[in-house]
Amino acid sequence: MQNDYTQMWTDLGLDLQAHDQLLEVLGQGYEQVFMSQANRPEGMAYFDFVMSEVHGLRIKELMDAKAEGRKVVGSFCVFVPEEIVLAVDGILVGLCTGADFATEEVDKILPRNTCALIKSAFGFKLGKVCPYLESADLIVGENTCDGKKKSYETLAGLVPALYVMDLPQTKSLRARELMQAEMKRFFHKMEEISGVTIDAARLKKGIQLVTEKRKALHRLNELRKNDPAPISGLDALLINQVQFYDDPVRFTASLNKLCDELETRVAEGKGAFAKGTPRVMVSGCPMAVPNWKLPMIIESTGAVIVGEESCVGERGTRNLVSDGEESLDELMEALVDRYFKIDCAIFTPNPERLDHVKEMTGRYNAQGVIHYSLQFCQPYQTESIPLEKSLENEKIKTLRLETDYSQEDIEQLRTRVEAFVEMIA
Amino acid sequence: MQNDYTQMWTDLGLDLQAHDQLLEVLGQGYEQVFMSQANRPEGMAYFDFVMSEVHGLRIKELMDAKAEGRKVVGSFCVFVPEEIVLAVDGILVGLCTGADFATEEVDKILPRNTCALIKSAFGFKLGKVCPYLESADLIVGENTCDGKKKSYETLAGLVPALYVMDLPQTKSLRARELMQAEMKRFFHKMEEISGVTIDAARLKKGIQLVTEKRKALHRLNELRKNDPAPISGLDALLINQVQFYDDPVRFTASLNKLCDELETRVAEGKGAFAKGTPRVMVSGCPMAVPNWKLPMIIESTGAVIVGEESCVGERGTRNLVSDGEESLDELMEALVDRYFKIDCAIFTPNPERLDHVKEMTGRYNAQGVIHYSLQFCQPYQTESIPLEKSLENEKIKTLRLETDYSQEDIEQLRTRVEAFVEMIA
């Protein structure tokens, strides 16, 4: 961290001691997991810097934006449309999760059998260590899984302003109507909290910014098809994680610059790992900062991760809002179309996700799929069993893993991943 | 069992050996739990008979009805409207669950962290021991919790005809529209499978039959207010369970006859337990036959259960379809209104349920509430924590328990229930 942010963190009501400890652990973990990698592209320096300032400079930027009257919106889910937030000059940030915190306090208000992601989000709140959550003018929840849906009722009592998006459970015509109505409601909510009236030009601008970001991520994905892969799966995951926190314009420019470098690497036959390294795809639950456990295990066993079928990965970013719409109504319809395509396991049935996993496996030339479920995540866990069956039927080797944010099962996971990588190599 | 049903069970494709074992265990359990009770009303003989023939005579009746062209519909949820099934001369039955079966087979297709109720339903199917499931012309699932919603995708591959009702997650105007549309879709599905066109008279008849049944259950509830309680909680639960299997007209008549007897008991000051016995209310997940574990523990520690806030209890039966509607549209609207009121924990927020628990506690003069969650049931588990807090704030003693269908935790549960009963007595 370059500067002293103590005053800012104090003003935000953080528990300074606990927060210092968190940053220390986070910094050490980052050093071990990321900085120890060989053959890193130079362009990763930008993302290293963002991470080093993730609770510092970036929060300072949010506070400066707030001082100018701009609104900060926090969310936990890729169903929350950043386009609409940008249309009112707002800033959308992902909220902290990905590590266990204040677990004793959390266990008093959430069932033991709640997934680690939800418990973690509550832990960051109860432990007063998430400057994103504390600086947000509005927190947007969403009725996705039972765990999140029901725990937002409790979160509502812990934060000043919680807004919950309702979401459908199927892909029926009526379900799309609900999505459409909820997009409109969110649109008006953003207008209300910002005092800005969204016209077509504003929304179009928001869509363009997000589309540019997604296109840069698609470009990154495209480059990972190569053998040797020009970038590690850990670094690619980090980029996918950083996009939830960083300024979208700066992020897009930095990622495109990195992609230029990766193109040169590809042309020169250089990679993060040697040519012929076993190629693995990861599919399943999202991995939030600093949940790098499984990718670290996979890549330390001598495989490279070439794609993530995840909300922090292609599920969250793969579809673009259709181009060429002009009126506000058309733009909103295009937005609804795009978000309604997300193949989250909360939908029933959800065959698009299976198709996507298969398609990705082919596209990235992956030799196997590792399915990652957070313990107690019923939608992804339940879907993983027929998914594995279907992949295995098509001779795609699949390993189903279930874990949480603890470090206790690392050796057990490593043993299983090693055996899997040996089998597919 | 009075007759030999071997041929019928063979025709239904049951695994006779496994089914014989099931019936033996069920019979023994019933004997121990129900027949050992003191001071039982004579009218319980009817329900004992129904239970003794639950896989025999009742299935024979279903087969006879099918031979006449009537349709048998199986369901797992109180959101499935029996009124509409009856309107096409169909028969709605609850499907088997409530006991662990074929667990090894189940663990291959459902996650370990799935609730016992869902696992059990799959166990009865995979073990080929549920004659209700095997005789059903249509099985109706519903998008309630994540566990059920996602596991129906797998069940669809195991049964010939599965139909899934979509359900909303909130009580908004738009949510009611979804409920309304889904009721209409179910209406047409019933017409389609039966070949019967539902007119106002038919629907009105269906509504009347179900209303009479619900009124008889309300009458039973009313009588349980008295001290001494004229009937045990175990017997009252059994009646609530039997209503999912039995012919509605015969059930209603038998229950009203029992209620006549209970009125006499009340007038004479007679009860199932002594006057002044500690009164407990149970709230939470449904208890399906033969899941009598917790009520048996509670009543064997010297308390009496005076009410069930459960789908197999007042949550499932408390509201009546409004009277006096005449046209088909009006009748359907009245149905939608009634089912939309169900305060299942899948809704967010769900304050009506808390209000109902409080109201029931007062109405039945209960000295404490025992909240029962099935392990891995996220909606009820998550809701139970603020519910307990709110009840305790109003000086209503509450005990939160979590269990499954195994017998291993009986002594541990007994210890906790005994301590609770001692405290409230």
Side-chain angles (χ1 to χ4, degrees):
Chain A
M1 209 80 57
Q2 308 294 313
N3 294 296
D4 183 4
Y5 298 109
T6 311
Q7 189 57 49
M8 178 177 76
W9 293 333
T10 306
D11 293 346
L12 282 170
L14 297 192
D15 178 334
L16 289 185
Q17 207 187 334
H19 187 248
D20 281 350
Q21 282 168 5
L22 172 72
L23 289 188
E24 200 184 320
V25 173
L26 189 67
Q28 284 168 0
Y30 192 82
E31 197 72 24
Q32 279 168 19
V33 174
F34 287 92
M35 304 314 282
S36 65
Q37 297 178 96
N39 309 318
R40 287 184 93 205
E42 281 175 23
M44 283 308 296
Y46 171 73
F47 301 95
D48 291 338
F49 174 71
V50 171
M51 283 305 294
S52 73
E53 288 288 344
V54 73
H55 280 205
L57 189 56
R58 184 59 183 146
I59 302 300
K60 174 80 170 50
E61 289 180 347
L62 298 186
M63 301 315 288
D64 290 347
K66 281 163 71 88
E68 288 168 19
R70 295 171 65 194
K71 295 297 172 186
V72 174
V73 176
S75 100
F76 292 105
C77 183
V78 297
F79 277 108
V80 180
E82 185 176 10
E83 294 89 338
I84 298 177
V85 180
L86 293 173
V88 298
D89 299 323
I91 300 172
L92 182 67
V93 289
L95 296 174
C96 307
T97 175
D100 293 330
F101 219 89
T103 50
E104 273 184 40
E105 292 304 303
V106 174
D107 285 345
K108 286 179 196 158
I109 58 173
L110 288 180
R112 200 169 41 86
N113 297 336
T114 304
C115 91
L117 190 145
I118 297 168
K119 281 188 177 176
S120 167
F122 275 71
F124 275 93
K125 175 64 210 173
L126 295 173
K128 299 178 188 164
V129 288
C130 178
Y132 289 93
L133 200 137
E134 302 306 334
S135 61
D137 295 292
L138 187 73
I139 289 163
V140 182
E142 76 313 311
N143 293 338
T144 44
C145 61
D146 287 339
K148 277 166 121 189
K149 178 171 76 175
K150 294 304 287 182
S151 64
Y152 286 132
E153 295 171 18
T154 299
L155 190 65
L158 302 176
V159 298
L162 178 74
Y163 171 97
V164 181
M165 269 183 86
D166 196 18
L167 285 176
Q169 312 197 58
T170 73
K171 294 280 172 96
S172 71
L173 215 64
R174 189 164 287 277
R176 191 187 176 284
E177 283 170 15
L178 173 62
M179 176 75 93
Q180 186 187 44
E182 285 297 292
M183 283 283 179
K184 279 190 188 156
R185 191 166 68 91
F186 185 69
F187 177 101
H188 292 305
K189 182 72 187 177
M190 285 302 103
E191 286 192 323
E192 178 203 318
I193 67 163
S194 65
V196 172
T197 302
I198 305 175
D199 57 18
R202 281 188 161 272
L203 187 54
K204 198 162 178 147
K205 178 81 189 300
I207 291 174
Q208 272 165 351
L209 287 176
V210 179
T211 298
E212 290 309 314
K213 176 159 85 167
R214 289 189 186 130
K215 279 185 177 169
L217 286 159
H218 295 184
R219 195 179 158 205
L220 172 68
N221 294 342
E222 205 52 31
L223 287 157
R224 295 169 76 190
K225 285 184 185 174
N226 293 284
D227 184 18
I231 187 168
S232 69
L234 271 167
D235 279 337
L237 172 64
L238 185 76
I239 293 165
N240 274 287
Q241 291 174 331
V242 163
Q243 61 128 334
F244 288 94
Y245 301 96
D246 199 10
D247 174 77
V249 174
R250 186 174 57 204
F251 172 88
T252 303
S254 305
L255 178 52
N256 275 321
K257 207 175 139 203
L258 173 73
C259 288
D260 294 341
E261 181 189 350
L262 297 185
E263 275 173 11
T264 310
R265 283 194 150 206
V266 167
E268 292 172 354
K270 279 190 194 162
F273 294 85
K275 194 175 162 75
T277 296
R279 300 168 70 86
V280 163
M281 214 189 85
V282 175
S283 170
C285 291
M287 292 176 186
V289 172
N291 175 23
W292 304 304
K293 182 168 77 169
L294 185 59
M296 185 202 66
I297 292 171
I298 295 172
E299 297 208 324
S300 68
T301 63
V304 57
I305 299 167
V306 291
E308 299 79 23
E309 191 283 317
S310 157
C311 292
V312 184
E314 278 200 29
R315 190 188 310 128
T317 58
R318 69 174 167 138
N319 295 306
L320 299 178
V321 177
S322 78
D323 209 17
E325 312 298 345
E326 294 300 332
S327 76
L328 200 52
D329 281 353
E330 284 170 354
L331 291 164
M332 281 299 284
E333 281 305 295
L335 260 191
V336 174
D337 281 340
R338 191 265 162 198
Y339 281 89
F340 195 53
K341 279 190 198 137
I342 298 175
D343 46 3
C344 172
I346 60 152
F347 287 101
T348 185
N350 191 31
E352 296 85 0
R353 181 170 166 237
L354 174 62
D355 294 344
H356 186 217
V357 176
K358 287 182 190 167
E359 183 269 324
M360 279 181 77
T361 311
R363 177 154 41 96
Y364 292 119
N365 232 326
Q367 289 144 280
V369 174
I370 296 184
H371 192 281
Y372 161 73
S373 290
L374 276 172
Q375 214 186 354
F376 310 124
C377 172
Q378 289 183 335
Y380 282 94
Q381 275 187 349
T382 310
E383 208 167 271
S384 71
I385 299 174
L387 186 102
E388 177 185 37
K389 207 173 187 174
S390 178
L391 292 175
E392 292 277 357
N393 280 346
E394 304 208 5
K395 310 286 178 219
I396 301 168
K397 296 285 177 207
T398 307
L399 173 66
R400 242 177 345 112
L401 296 176
E402 183 187 325
T403 182
D404 54 20
Y405 295 163
S406 74
Q407 304 295 303
E408 286 157 25
D409 59 352
I410 284 188
E411 287 314 312
Q412 193 197 332
L413 289 171
R414 192 188 304 276
T415 306
R416 295 192 61 195
V417 170
E418 273 172 357
F420 182 71
V421 169
E422 236 169 71
M423 186 182 68
I424 62 168
Chain B
M1 208 83 57
Q2 309 293 311
N3 294 296
D4 183 3
Y5 299 108
T6 311
Q7 190 56 50
M8 178 176 77
W9 293 333
T10 307
D11 294 345
L12 282 171
L14 297 192
D15 177 336
L16 288 185
Q17 208 186 334
H19 186 247
D20 280 351
Q21 283 168 5
L22 172 73
L23 288 187
E24 201 185 319
V25 173
L26 189 67
Q28 283 169 0
Y30 193 83
E31 197 74 24
Q32 279 169 19
V33 174
F34 287 92
M35 305 313 281
S36 65
Q37 296 178 96
N39 309 318
R40 288 185 92 205
E42 280 175 25
M44 283 309 296
Y46 170 73
F47 300 95
D48 292 337
F49 175 70
V50 170
M51 282 304 295
S52 73
E53 288 287 346
V54 74
H55 280 204
L57 189 56
R58 183 62 183 144
I59 302 300
K60 174 81 169 52
E61 288 179 349
L62 298 187
M63 301 315 288
D64 291 347
K66 279 162 74 87
E68 287 169 18
R70 295 171 66 195
K71 296 297 172 186
V72 174
V73 176
S75 100
F76 292 105
C77 184
V78 297
F79 278 108
V80 180
E82 186 174 11
E83 294 88 339
I84 297 177
V85 180
L86 292 172
V88 299
D89 300 323
I91 300 172
L92 182 67
V93 289
L95 296 173
C96 306
T97 177
D100 293 330
F101 219 88
T103 49
E104 274 185 39
E105 293 304 303
V106 174
D107 284 344
K108 286 180 197 158
I109 58 173
L110 288 181
R112 200 170 42 86
N113 296 337
T114 304
C115 91
L117 190 145
I118 297 169
K119 280 188 178 176
S120 168
F122 274 71
F124 274 95
K125 174 65 209 172
L126 295 173
K128 299 177 186 167
V129 288
C130 177
Y132 289 92
L133 200 138
E134 302 306 334
S135 62
D137 295 291
L138 187 73
I139 289 163
V140 182
E142 74 315 308
N143 294 339
T144 43
C145 61
D146 288 338
K148 277 166 120 188
K149 178 171 75 175
K150 294 305 288 182
S151 65
Y152 286 133
E153 296 171 18
T154 298
L155 190 66
L158 302 176
V159 299
L162 177 74
Y163 171 98
V164 180
M165 269 182 88
D166 196 18
L167 285 177
Q169 312 196 60
T170 72
K171 294 280 173 94
S172 70
L173 215 64
R174 188 163 289 274
R176 189 186 178 284
E177 283 170 16
L178 174 62
M179 176 76 94
Q180 186 187 43
E182 285 297 293
M183 282 283 180
K184 278 188 189 157
R185 192 166 67 91
F186 185 70
F187 177 102
H188 293 305
K189 182 73 187 176
M190 285 302 103
E191 287 191 326
E192 177 204 317
I193 67 163
S194 65
V196 172
T197 303
I198 305 175
D199 58 17
R202 279 188 163 273
L203 187 54
K204 201 164 175 144
K205 179 83 188 297
I207 291 173
Q208 272 166 350
L209 287 176
V210 180
T211 298
E212 289 309 314
K213 177 158 84 166
R214 291 190 184 127
K215 280 186 178 170
L217 286 159
H218 296 183
R219 195 179 159 205
L220 171 68
N221 294 342
E222 205 54 30
L223 288 157
R224 294 168 75 192
K225 286 185 188 173
N226 293 286
D227 184 18
I231 187 167
S232 69
L234 271 166
D235 279 337
L237 171 64
L238 186 76
I239 293 164
N240 274 287
Q241 291 174 331
V242 163
Q243 61 127 335
F244 288 94
Y245 301 96
D246 199 12
D247 173 79
V249 174
R250 185 174 57 205
F251 172 88
T252 303
S254 305
L255 178 52
N256 275 321
K257 205 174 141 202
L258 173 73
C259 288
D260 294 341
E261 182 190 349
L262 298 186
E263 274 174 10
T264 310
R265 281 191 152 207
V266 168
E268 291 171 354
K270 279 190 194 163
F273 294 83
K275 192 176 165 71
T277 296
R279 302 166 70 86
V280 163
M281 214 189 86
V282 175
S283 171
C285 290
M287 292 176 186
V289 171
N291 176 22
W292 304 306
K293 182 168 75 169
L294 185 59
M296 185 202 67
I297 291 171
I298 296 171
E299 296 207 322
S300 68
T301 62
V304 57
I305 299 167
V306 291
E308 298 79 24
E309 191 282 319
S310 157
C311 292
V312 184
E314 277 199 31
R315 190 187 312 128
T317 58
R318 70 173 167 139
N319 294 305
L320 298 178
V321 178
S322 77
D323 210 17
E325 312 298 345
E326 293 300 334
S327 75
L328 200 52
D329 281 352
E330 285 170 352
L331 290 164
M332 281 300 282
E333 283 304 297
L335 260 191
V336 174
D337 280 339
R338 192 265 164 198
Y339 281 89
F340 196 53
K341 279 191 199 137
I342 298 174
D343 46 3
C344 172
I346 60 151
F347 287 101
T348 186
N350 191 30
E352 296 85 359
R353 181 169 167 239
L354 173 62
D355 293 344
H356 187 217
V357 175
K358 286 182 189 168
E359 181 270 325
M360 279 181 76
T361 311
R363 178 154 42 96
Y364 293 119
N365 232 326
Q367 289 144 276
V369 174
I370 295 184
H371 192 281
Y372 160 74
S373 290
L374 276 172
Q375 215 186 352
F376 310 124
C377 172
Q378 290 185 333
Y380 282 94
Q381 276 188 349
T382 310
E383 206 165 273
S384 71
I385 299 174
L387 186 103
E388 177 185 38
K389 206 172 188 178
S390 179
L391 292 175
E392 292 278 356
N393 279 346
E394 303 209 5
K395 311 282 177 222
I396 302 168
K397 296 283 177 209
T398 307
L399 173 67
R400 238 170 356 107
L401 296 177
E402 184 187 325
T403 182
D404 55 18
Y405 294 164
S406 75
Q407 305 294 302
E408 285 156 25
D409 61 350
I410 285 189
E411 286 315 311
Q412 191 197 334
L413 288 171
R414 192 188 304 277
T415 306
R416 294 192 60 196
V417 170
E418 272 172 358
F420 182 71
V421 170
E422 235 170 73
M423 185 184 66
I424 61 167

